Amino acid sequence: MENDIDKQTKSSIRAAVTTYEGLLINQHLGMADQLWIFEIDADGSHMIERRQTPPVGTGDERWQALSGILHDCSVLLTGGIGERPLEVLSAGGIKVYEAEGMIED
């Protein structure tokens, strides 16, 4: 039987991050043309891929599409986010955190 420590070590989450260079959380979601996807587990985090964001200027369609693009991510770390994208992504089950600083932290 697995204990809680074994379950923790085998579990991981995916986080999408708005970043210009892959080191800092330093970009507003509305300005991001791509999101960096990180896998986070008991050993730390590592970048696994970059995903293009939907085109700007499409309103709610953009945020709905983004929610679909992030279907396997449970968290979005961003330097800033508007009210409507926050509502749409949260309704899609993505926890959004506005933050600044090193991604690794």
Side-chain angles (χ1 to χ4, degrees):
M1 180 190 297
E2 285 186 87
N3 63 32
D4 288 341
I5 294 172
D6 291 334
K7 288 179 187 173
Q8 270 188 314
T9 351
K10 292 181 181 179
S11 66
S12 66
I13 64 167
R14 287 196 176 176
V17 181
T18 59
T19 179
Y20 287 107
E21 75 298 299
L23 296 173
L24 298 168
I25 304 165
N26 59 359
Q27 190 175 32
H28 191 284
L29 179 62
M31 302 300 293
D33 59 355
Q34 65 180 348
L35 297 171
W36 294 47
I37 309 300
F38 287 81
E39 187 86 30
I40 304 167
D41 58 26
D43 296 326
S45 66
H46 61 280
M47 200 272 287
I48 56 171
E49 68 180 302
R50 295 181 204 171
R51 296 181 189 169
Q52 295 298 308
T53 59
V56 297
T58 57
D60 274 3
E61 289 179 24
R62 180 178 193 208
W63 310 124
Q64 292 291 343
L66 185 60
S67 185
I69 289 169
L70 300 179
H71 65 91
D72 59 339
C73 296
S74 55
V75 174
L76 169 67
L77 304 173
T78 184
I81 187 169
E83 185 177 320
R84 187 61 186 150
L86 177 60
E87 290 172 359
V88 172
L89 294 174
S90 295
I94 299 169
K95 293 184 189 245
V96 178
Y97 297 97
E98 285 188 75
E100 293 180 356
M102 300 294 292
I103 294 170
E104 195 65 31
D105 293 342

